[in-house]
Amino acid sequence: MSFLTGLRCLRCGTEYPIQRMHRGCAKCVDEKSSNVECTYDYAEIRRVFRKELLAERPPTIWRYKEFLPPDEENVVSLGEGMTPLVKCSSLGEKLKLKNLYVKDESRNPTWSFKDRLASSSCSMAVQFGAEVVSSRSAGNHGAATAAYGAKAGLDSVIFTLEAWPRTMKTLMQAYGAKVVHVPTWRDCWRLQDACVEEFGWYCFDDVASCRVGYDPYGVQGYKTIGFEICEQLGWRAPDKMVVPVGGGGSFFGSWAGFQEFFDLGLVYSRPQMIAGEVFGPLKNALAKGLDYVEEVPGRSTVAFSVGAVLSTYQALKVLLHSGGFAETASDEEIMEMQLELAATEGIYGEASGVLSLAVIKKLREMGKIHEDEVVVALMTSGGLKDPATTQRYLPDIPLVEPNVDALRKGLAEAYGYLLAEN
Ligand SMILES: *Cc1c(COP(=O)(O)O)cnc(C)c1O
Ligand SMILES: [Zn+2]
């Protein structure tokens, strides 16, 4: 049995019983739309959960099963979570940060952190007796939905746009998903809404509007990011936590994880949460003092997984409650950081994934992060999701004749790399 007791609106506090909840709070509508969060029997969790228990548990998100919604017999897992928290000394030195860590989410089963959401959502799809799972996605969310659907023996249907990279769709199709292109992004949730209604599909997103967020049970999976970081830092929270934010499911989830461990007395502080964005809808909302998020202008971007012109109340709430802020980075800054991280730390991340680090670099220059602070960058996905974009920023590979003079010339011309004269 899980300790889940119900759902509660993040904005107005209205409580709902445990049920499928694909449309957010019924009372908060239009621009005030809001997701709901899960509530638990914390008195009971306090009674049974001890951090000492973790030593015996598997290195997956399910080591924190007391804090996750499904009953144990419904859990669908591919071994997601407990990804390494890598201390980045070389990159840290360049950015003049003594305690820079990268939480490397490319080490998940489908090479992105969406597996945490998919594992929790898919478990609830099984618990509610659904037969089809669905998501709308630029790539990672769809791949994770497809993989967990496959593991659970459920069919999956993924909605996406033709413009997004083929590699991502190959991944989805390989896991057996029925992948469908639709004309515009808004068509995704029109169709998802209809299929929830007509066929009882379980969507890993909300189906009401882009202002709600994700399946609230899936968002719970992201709490484990906060839990793991506390555990991996030796039962302390970082000073700053920087996350690439789109819909903000992971931003809210990881914050909720830090908050729960704080409330249980397992750590004694909470991080300031910083949202990395491409177009800056959250930055705009904060600057204007709004309590909802407005749409901002967009364009095409290398960071298509977070290229959102709108975000959600759940993301804004994290910024307001943690005293955090949002900052943007350009395509150039992102791609420069992608190669810098790979070449200094051996971590090749997706462009969207390294947005957190591109933003940290800017914030260091602006003096908004201090040298001694413990800073964690969430690096959300692996670079092989979209190698074509990286390729545009790399030299052509020289063909060299098999003699040292030709090699010297080839290396110098392509890479500016000079062999010693003999
Ligand atoms: C989905 C995604 C994000 C953003 O996550 P949200 O929960 O939508 O904010 C960030 N990075 C990558 C690589 C993603 O796929
Ligand atoms: Zn509400």
Side-chain angles (χ1 to χ4, degrees), residues 46-320:
R46 244 177 228 280
R47 205 176 60 76
V48 302
F49 182 77
R50 298 268 168 284
K51 66 184 182 197
E52 291 72 26
L53 288 171
L54 295 173
E56 315 268 293
R57 293 195 177 170
T60 75
I61 66 170
W62 300 99
R63 65 201 276 103
Y64 311 106
K65 60 186 178 183
E66 287 86 353
F67 302 87
L68 294 170
D71 295 333
E72 209 165 345
E73 66 269 24
N74 297 319
V75 166
V76 183
S77 175
L78 294 171
E80 57 292 321
M82 220 55 199
T83 55
L85 183 68
V86 182
K87 176 124 200 217
C88 291
S89 308
S90 306
L91 185 61
E93 203 167 301
K94 285 190 167 184
L95 304 182
K96 300 200 172 54
L97 277 174
K98 291 189 185 140
N99 298 292
L100 174 65
Y101 294 85
V102 165
K103 180 75 168 155
D104 183 4
E105 291 290 293
S106 72
R107 316 273 193 107
N108 277 302
T110 76
W111 307 282
S112 97
F113 74 157
K114 291 285 196 310
D115 291 339
R116 297 177 188 267
L117 179 149
S119 181
S120 190
S121 272
C122 199
S123 304
M124 292 306 281
V126 169
Q127 189 156 317
F128 287 121
E131 286 167 3
V132 179
V133 293
S134 172
S135 62
R136 55 173 179 266
S137 172
N140 292 319
H141 189 38
T145 305
Y148 286 81
K151 178 74 174 176
L154 306 177
D155 293 332
S156 60
V157 182
I158 313 298
F159 297 98
T160 186
L161 300 185
E162 210 164 357
W164 285 322
R166 180 65 223 200
T167 311
M168 295 278 201
K169 295 164 198 169
T170 302
L171 197 54
M172 298 174 202
Q173 286 185 317
Y175 293 124
K178 273 56 88 179
V179 181
V180 181
H181 287 152
V182 292
T184 73
W185 189 228
R186 282 177 204 274
D187 296 324
C188 297
W189 56 86
R190 271 184 212 121
L191 280 168
Q192 284 185 302
D193 194 15
C195 294
V196 165
E197 203 58 41
E198 284 197 35
F199 312 119
W201 290 5
Y202 195 94
C203 291
F204 292 6
D205 325 274
D206 73 276
V207 300
S209 83
C210 43
R211 294 178 175 280
V212 174
Y214 293 88
D215 169 33
Y217 301 108
V219 170
Q220 293 290 300
Y222 286 128
K223 291 193 303 192
T224 57
I225 295 170
F227 298 157
E228 288 171 23
I229 290 171
C230 292
E231 194 182 339
Q232 289 169 320
L233 286 176
W235 299 100
R236 62 158 295 178
D239 298 309
K240 291 201 161 62
M241 172 81 190
V242 189
V243 179
V245 177
S250 44
F251 197 52
F252 180 80
S254 42
W255 165 249
F258 288 120
Q259 179 71 47
E260 281 183 350
F261 271 15
F262 177 79
D263 288 341
L264 287 177
L266 294 168
V267 293
Y268 300 100
S269 67
R270 288 159 295 176
Q272 192 179 21
M273 299 290 290
I274 301 171
E277 297 185 285
V278 180
F279 306 132
L282 292 166
K283 189 177 174 183
N284 173 68
L286 282 183
K288 291 190 177 168
L290 303 176
D291 77 334
Y292 63 93
V293 186
E294 275 181 348
E295 195 168 321
V296 295
R299 51 176 162 78
S300 84
T301 169
V302 296
F304 53 84
S305 297
V306 288
V309 293
L310 201 54
S311 191
T312 56
Y313 180 69
Q314 63 189 358
L316 184 59
K317 184 164 175 172
V318 172
L319 292 172
L320 298 173

